[in-house]
Amino acid sequence: MKLSLARIFCVRTMGVMMLLLLGCELTGKALGCKEGERLGQLNVKAAFNFPNGTALPTWRADKEDCCQWERINCSNIRNTMQVTKLQLSGLPQPRSLDAGALFPSGLCELASLETLSISGNELAGSIPRCLFNMTTLHTLDLSYNHFGGAIPPSLFSSLKLLESLSLSGNAFEGSFSHGFVPSFLMEQHDLEVFELFNCRLEGQLPSWLLENNTNLGYFNLMGSSFSGHFSLNSSLTNYNMWLIDVASNSLEGELPSYFSYVFPNLGDLNVSRNSMQGRIPSSLCHSPTASNLRMLDLSTNRFIGELPEKLMRCEILGILILANNNLRGQVLPRVANLSLLTYLSLSDNQFYGEISTGLLNSPSLSFLDMSSNNLSGVIPDWIGDLQELSVLSLADNSIEGTLPLSFCKLQKLEFLNLAGNDIGPSIPSCVNVSALKHLHLERMNLKGSLPQFLQAASSIVTLSLSSNALSGGIPSWIGSLSTLRVLLLAGNSFEGLMPQELCQLHNISIMDLSHNHLSGRIPSYFNKLAFGSSQVPDGTFTISGYGFTWAVVFSFPYVSTPQEGGDAVEVLFTSKHRLESYGGRVLPVMSGLDLSCNNLSGSIPLQLGNLSDIRSLNLSYNHLSGSIPVTISNLDQIECLDLSHNNLSGEIPQRLIELYRLSTFSVAYNNLSGRTPEPKYQFATFFRESYEGNSFLCGWQLGNCRSSGGLPLTPPPAEHQEDIFRTAFRWSFAGSYAMAFIGTVFTLCLSSYFWTLFFDFVYRHIPSSCAFIDRLFPMH
Ligand SMILES: *[C@@H]1O[C@H](CO)[C@@H](O)[C@H](O)[C@H]1NC(C)=O
Ligand SMILES: *[C@@H]1O[C@H](CO)[C@@H](O)[C@H](O)[C@H]1NC(C)=O
Ligand SMILES: *[C@@H]1O[C@H](CO)[C@@H](O)[C@H](O)[C@H]1NC(C)=O
Ligand SMILES: *[C@@H]1O[C@H](CO)[C@@H](O)[C@H](O)[C@H]1NC(C)=O
Ligand SMILES: *[C@@H]1O[C@H](CO)[C@@H](O)[C@H](O)[C@H]1NC(C)=O
Ligand SMILES: *[C@@H]1O[C@H](CO)[C@@H](O)[C@H](O)[C@H]1NC(C)=O
Ligand SMILES: *[C@@H]1O[C@H](CO)[C@@H](O)[C@H](O)[C@H]1NC(C)=O
Ligand SMILES: *[C@@H]1O[C@H](CO)[C@@H](O)[C@H](O)[C@H]1NC(C)=O
Ligand SMILES: *[C@@H]1O[C@H](CO)[C@@H](O)[C@H](O)[C@H]1NC(C)=O
Ligand SMILES: *[C@@H]1O[C@H](CO)[C@@H](O)[C@H](O)[C@H]1NC(C)=O
Ligand SMILES: *[C@@H]1O[C@H](CO)[C@@H](O)[C@H](O)[C@H]1NC(C)=O
Ligand SMILES: *[C@@H]1O[C@H](CO)[C@@H](O)[C@H](O)[C@H]1NC(C)=O
């Protein structure tokens, strides 16, 4: 086996302490602690207290017996009380503290330490060598400090009793920085808890750790870059092992079939997000009644085959996540008897056939996701017997028929997604929506008016009925859904005026009414709606499960799976001429209004300028007239503004150039006149396509100003233009920087310059955005 070293070496362990502590109370009082140790401790306190802090108040020079001080435990070793345990984690530390001040005449005095924990103390400098003389240590936690410098890996090799070691969250260099498992671990054979967490370590999975440490109970190598096979010596048996987490690595090959014979008491196995192949070994549950397997997550791999029957009868299995593989067969074989199952995710596989009665043996099921498979038949009548169901997604299958009336027995539904099935033309009005927060019924051939029973959905946050054949007016009761934040009704046949009551949806942040037949004016009351200005409380778009939150991804088939297991609801909204998926940390900060492709007339209300937090506004393909209100230049956060294909006239307000975040802009195909805005900031990145189709408009982008009688306008000289681009880029970079926390998708969105070029390209190749959108939202 190759010797290996670690980059940010972070073995994080939470070991069981095996201290033989003889109470100081009984034997220690007379003896007291060793004077050298006591003075050392006082030096430690002084270091923490510099210049005049209040740390460790019971460590007082006038209190002789340091075994009585807080955060210390002593043991009687060779008839002397000695400090064996020191727990100094997380002391309030206003500044970075030099480890040199803490160790040489302080901690180094404690020669018999068995447990040393000084995590999260802003300690900097290199690890003092005396630490490696503390050969009695079995628990060492130096994590989340600023230790740096090179550590010869051999140093730790003297610590042969380690059961628990944590060095994560530091900045070691040199021999620890090569991305390999440090070789001294080869010397360890007593580890009970072993965690190398998000460490970017490379190389073969160190399965020898499992073989060397036969007491190991907790093995967590999640989130590194380990590759290779999960090989195990089949003659090994470890009765202590209860958790193995190797998720998010690059493992391949098959799961050994003897896995559960090697670890007969395994409770949690997480292998998700690797490249594992082959069938799911049926022996994972070696004995349905004796197995301890409670949680199995094999999602996002390349497993094939059917669900093993033995596993399907695993008595105490509670969480089963097999999403995103190539599994096939019946969704839970009929013989399945998973009576404690609460969480089942089988989405994105190739399961077929009808929804099996095998599910009926799991009465506590509360999370059921079978989306994106090839299920057929109808939703069975017995679904109403799964009384605990709170999350149900059957999206994108070939399920037909109507919802059975028994569906109305489900009282805990918080999340329902039936999109992309042929379940229609209506939903029974008895469905109990009192707990409902997210409802997705897109592309289901729903007909008739907006279902009125939704009026009772008093907690609803996301309502999507896009791409159906709903008709009639948007009812005024919609105003009673005051908790609504996302309303997607695009691609239906709604007609008439937008009701006044829409203005009661104060907290709305995304509203898409595009591709309908709405007429009349754009109501001025839209300025009463939040569109981003109302804070989104934590958890609004999150569905929580069992100590972990789970992504429920619902998307149209033409959008690739938006993100790997985020942890939030996702919605789709067209922005920048593209249908984008918003989820995770992005969704709560996205805001937009899309009224495009309707029959709206009249002028753009000045009040729209009050939506200072909106990020996307699309009013294209209507019959709007009048001029572009100058108040539009108050939309400080706007990134996408599309007013094209209307009858707007007058000049383009020059102040629009103050929209520093704008990356998509179009006023094409109107009756605008005058000059295009100065090519400054973001406006240096908008070309002909943003302006064409306005016969009286002139500008360098259009190259037509000579004929308009004014001074010939030429594009700025190349050098100047580059300057502008740089300015634009700097602006968007400033934006990106400020918003970095928002997350990748959004950051990309804000790196406007590059995106602008990209969208410009897209735009060039898609002559009409409506035609493009039409392909996405087929009209009925
Ligand atoms: C520490 O004590 C000095 C005087 O002894 C005082 O000037 C200073 O403000 C104190 N600092 C804090 C943080 O209390
Ligand atoms: C260690 O000492 C602390 C007080 O400093 C005490 O609360 C704790 O019970 C002791 N632990 C053991 C195992 O003796
Ligand atoms: C470690 O112990 C060895 C011998 O036991 C001694 O020579 C050496 O000085 C010690 N190192 C430190 C840093 O205390
Ligand atoms: C641990 O495993 C490695 C690799 O198989 C081996 O070289 C080493 O001797 C083992 N250590 C112990 C203590 O068994
Ligand atoms: C597996 O372990 C057994 C005994 O623990 C040993 O005899 C055998 O050589 C090991 N096999 C491999 C391939 O390491
Ligand atoms: C398995 O690991 C992945 C990646 O760390 C994580 O997202 C997922 O929540 C874990 N599964 C369970 C059931 O905890
Ligand atoms: C399912 O398993 C339970 C025990 O977990 C048992 O009592 C019950 O009889 C089994 N049902 C079937 C249909 O096998
Ligand atoms: C889906 O199932 C049907 C039969 O129910 C089958 O004809 C079809 O090939 C399946 N499609 C896929 C992609 O597996
Ligand atoms: C709907 O479910 C709630 C519990 O979530 C319950 O209190 C209410 O009575 C149910 N309504 C109907 C009409 O069954
Ligand atoms: C709107 O959101 C705020 C928090 O951002 C919340 O306090 C308020 O209750 C919400 N209003 C409604 C009607 O849900
Ligand atoms: C569009 O709206 C006008 C009134 O604003 C109305 O006369 C016309 O019939 C509408 N067209 C369609 C197709 O609905
Ligand atoms: C809307 O903006 C105008 C200025 O454009 C301002 O005078 C008015 O107070 C704003 N109204 C609200 C409700 O913020």
Side-chain angles (χ1 to χ4, degrees):
M1 177 85 23
K2 216 186 309 172
L3 285 210
S4 10
L5 309 159
R7 184 194 167 91
I8 300 171
F9 169 53
C10 44
V11 185
R12 173 136 199 246
T13 52
M14 307 178 299
V16 183
M17 321 273 140
M18 306 253 300
L19 287 179
L20 264 179
L21 290 166
L22 305 175
C24 310
E25 296 287 333
L26 297 174
T27 52
K29 240 172 203 140
L31 296 163
C33 71
K34 279 167 73 178
E35 184 62 6
E37 297 199 332
R38 199 175 74 92
L39 295 178
Q41 303 278 54
L42 287 173
N43 287 338
V44 169
K45 170 172 169 148
F48 272 112
N49 269 347
F50 180 83
N52 34 10
T54 53
L56 305 168
T58 61
W59 293 24
R60 287 177 11 208
D62 59 343
K63 267 186 81 183
E64 292 274 306
D65 184 2
C66 69
C67 293
Q68 305 292 317
W69 295 353
E70 65 191 302
R71 293 167 177 263
I72 288 178
N73 294 86
C74 294
S75 297
N76 190 333
I77 295 172
R78 289 184 298 276
N79 287 328
T80 328
M81 290 310 284
Q82 299 191 18
V83 178
T84 50
K85 179 178 176 187
L86 186 56
Q87 202 293 95
L88 292 178
S89 297
L91 283 177
Q93 254 319 102
R95 75 212 152 91
S96 157
L97 179 61
D98 181 12
L102 208 58
F103 278 89
S105 55
L107 293 178
C108 290
E109 301 295 327
L110 309 176
S112 307
L113 270 184
E114 292 171 1
T115 298
L116 174 61
S117 174
I118 47 175
S119 67
N121 284 330
E122 310 270 341
L123 295 175
S126 49
I127 293 188
R129 290 183 168 244
C130 73
L131 196 64
F132 310 114
N133 270 5
M134 297 184 179
T135 51
T136 48
L137 272 180
H138 55 61
T139 298
L140 176 60
D141 183 357
L142 306 180
S143 61
Y144 300 101
N145 283 296
H146 307 298
F147 285 117
I151 306 177
S154 61
L155 282 181
F156 274 113
S157 58
S158 56
L159 308 184
K160 297 224 196 274
L161 301 179
L162 281 180
E163 287 166 7
S164 182
L165 175 62
S166 175
L167 300 174
S168 57
N170 283 292
F172 297 118
E173 294 160 11
S175 53
F176 270 69
S177 67
H178 298 304
F180 295 108
V181 178
S183 58
F184 80 89
L185 285 169
M186 294 213 175
E187 313 289 328
Q188 306 299 330
H189 53 84
D190 284 335
L191 289 172
E192 293 178 359
V193 171
F194 184 81
E195 196 171 293
L196 276 158
F197 210 76
N198 283 333
C199 287
R200 284 178 293 162
L201 297 179
E202 294 166 9
Q204 295 279 315
L205 183 78
S207 42
W208 45 266
L209 274 164
L210 296 166
E211 290 166 17
N212 284 3
N213 295 278
T214 47
N215 287 329
L216 207 55
Y218 178 99
F219 183 70
N220 191 340
L221 297 182
M222 188 269 279
S224 274
S225 302
F226 290 116
S227 54
H229 291 224
F230 202 141
S231 59
L232 285 172
N233 184 334
S234 59
S235 55
L236 183 79
T237 314
N238 174 345
Y239 291 97
N240 291 332
M241 185 65 80
W242 57 274
L243 181 144
I244 294 180
D245 188 344
V246 290
S248 300
N249 280 285
S250 307
L251 303 181
E252 42 186 33
E254 304 194 1
L255 262 188
S257 60
Y258 45 87
F259 203 82
S260 67
Y261 300 106
V262 176
F263 305 115
N265 290 326
L266 193 65
D268 292 10
L269 176 62
N270 194 344
V271 184
S272 83
R273 301 192 209 180
N274 282 288
S275 302
M276 304 286 290
Q277 297 146 5
R279 292 172 180 273
I280 299 175
S282 77
S283 67
L284 271 184
C285 194
H286 57 93
S287 147
T289 48
S291 162
N292 282 337
L293 195 67
R294 291 176 309 141
M295 188 280 273
L296 178 63
D297 188 346
L298 303 180
S299 58
T300 315
N301 279 288
R302 298 187 198 138
F303 287 108
I304 56 165
E306 307 198 349
L307 299 174
E309 273 193 19
K310 218 167 169 188
L311 183 64
M312 290 304 106
R313 290 201 308 270
C314 205
E315 207 164 66
I316 72 164
L317 193 63
I319 299 176
L320 179 60
I321 305 177
L322 304 175
N324 213 353
N325 281 291
N326 293 316
L327 300 170
R328 43 195 310 120
Q330 182 111 47
V331 159
L332 291 205
R334 250 165 240 285
V335 294
N337 187 6
L338 297 169
S339 49
L340 295 181
L341 195 66
T342 55
Y343 195 110
L344 177 63
S345 175
L346 301 174
S347 64
D348 295 282
N349 279 291
Q350 287 149 28
F351 291 109
Y352 52 78
E354 301 193 359
I355 301 171
S356 145
T357 50
L359 283 173
L360 268 175
N361 289 325
S362 307
S364 342
L365 201 62
S366 82
F367 185 110
L368 178 58
D369 185 356
M370 305 194 286
S371 56
S372 300
N373 280 289
N374 190 13
L375 302 182
S376 53
V378 298
I379 296 184
D381 200 40
W382 48 257
I383 194 100
D385 295 341
L386 299 176
Q387 285 286 307
E388 297 300 313
L389 217 49
S390 74
V391 173
L392 175 62
S393 179
L394 301 174
D396 296 306
N397 281 291
S398 307
I399 297 169
E400 323 165 300
T402 49
L403 271 187
L405 286 183
S406 72
F407 200 82
C408 302
K409 287 197 283 177
L410 300 176
Q411 299 195 342
K412 297 188 175 169
L413 273 184
E414 273 183 44
F415 177 98
L416 177 62
N417 188 357
L418 304 175
N421 287 292
D422 196 1
I423 304 171
S426 61
I427 300 290
S429 59
C430 59
V431 169
N432 190 330
V433 293
S434 61
L436 203 60
K437 289 174 75 181
H438 307 283
L439 180 63
H440 289 253
L441 304 176
E442 306 99 351
R443 295 171 291 117
M444 285 176 50
N445 289 325
L446 295 180
K447 297 196 170 71
S449 53
L450 195 68
Q452 182 159 8
F453 67 90
L454 291 178
Q455 194 173 354
S458 55
S459 330
I460 196 156
V461 175
T462 313
L463 174 59
S464 176
L465 295 165
S466 297
S467 301
N468 280 295
L470 297 170
S471 55
I474 295 179
S476 56
W477 56 256
I478 197 142
S480 63
L481 305 180
S482 61
T483 50
L484 212 52
R485 286 183 183 264
V486 177
L487 175 63
L488 309 176
L489 301 179
N492 281 287
S493 302
F494 290 115
E495 58 191 14
L497 306 179
M498 282 179 258
Q500 180 76 31
E501 287 76 8
L502 274 181
C503 77
Q504 292 163 12
L505 303 180
H506 290 300
N507 278 349
I508 205 102
S509 53
I510 299 183
M511 187 190 288
D512 188 353
L513 306 180
S514 66
H515 295 84
N516 279 292
H517 310 309
L518 299 172
S519 54
R521 304 170 76 89
I522 296 177
S524 57
Y525 59 67
F526 270 126
N527 67 348
K528 298 213 182 94
L529 307 187
F531 287 113
S533 64
S534 151
Q535 206 209 340
V536 179
D538 284 349
T540 302
F541 293 111
T542 309
I543 299 159
S544 47
Y546 299 90
F548 62 100
T549 52
W550 186 252
V552 183
V553 171
F554 29 115
S555 55
F556 292 69
Y558 34 76
V559 173
S560 59
T561 306
Q563 57 173 180
E564 275 202 328
D567 56 0
V569 170
E570 306 218 346
V571 302
L572 290 162
F573 184 72
T574 304
S575 180
K576 303 174 194 237
H577 306 295
R578 267 200 349 174
L579 196 61
E580 301 266 8
S581 166
Y582 295 92
R585 287 171 296 172
V586 180
L587 180 55
V589 296
M590 179 59 195
S591 57
L593 173 62
D594 191 346
L595 300 176
S596 65
C597 303
N598 275 291
N599 183 24
L600 301 172
S601 51
S603 53
I604 300 176
L606 299 181
Q607 289 85 343
L608 283 192
N610 288 75
L611 301 177
S612 54
D613 292 290
I614 202 166
R615 296 179 186 271
S616 180
L617 177 62
N618 189 350
L619 305 178
S620 65
Y621 290 90
N622 278 293
H623 303 117
L624 300 173
S625 52
S627 56
I628 300 174
V630 70
T631 56
I632 293 288
S633 52
N634 297 340
L635 303 180
D636 293 338
Q637 303 296 323
I638 201 156
E639 294 164 33
C640 315
L641 176 62
D642 191 348
L643 305 177
S644 65
H645 295 272
N646 278 293
N647 301 324
L648 298 170
S649 54
E651 301 198 356
I652 302 174
Q654 294 293 322
R655 266 187 59 205
L656 287 187
I657 62 167
E658 291 166 21
L659 301 176
Y660 302 124
R661 292 173 184 274
L662 205 56
S663 66
T664 303
F665 170 73
S666 180
V667 291
Y669 298 97
N670 279 290
N671 292 324
L672 297 166
S673 53
R675 285 196 183 175
T676 60
E678 234 186 307
K680 266 173 98 170
Y681 313 127
Q682 291 304 97
F683 276 78
T685 64
F686 305 136
F687 304 109
R688 164 180 282 275
E689 294 76 11
S690 297
Y691 302 104
E692 67 191 357
N694 290 283
S695 342
F696 301 107
L697 195 60
C698 93
W700 62 268
Q701 302 91 340
L702 298 165
N704 62 352
C705 284
R706 281 183 200 86
S707 58
S708 73
L711 278 175
L713 278 174
T714 45
E719 215 174 290
H720 179 205
Q721 198 166 357
E722 208 176 79
D723 262 3
I724 291 165
F725 279 20
R726 214 173 286 139
T727 318
F729 178 68
R730 223 177 288 134
W731 272 109
S732 64
F733 182 77
S736 304
Y737 185 75
M739 305 296 287
F741 70 94
I742 292 172
T744 331
V745 177
F746 226 79
T747 310
L748 286 179
C749 184
L750 289 172
S751 298
S752 318
Y753 171 53
F754 292 110
W755 275 102
T756 305
L757 294 189
F758 172 71
F759 283 116
D760 194 59
F761 173 83
V762 173
Y763 208 116
R764 260 176 239 271
H765 292 81
I766 297 162
S768 139
S769 66
C770 245
F772 174 56
I773 292 164
D774 275 343
R775 264 183 278 141
L776 300 180
F777 284 94
M779 300 273 279
H780 299 276

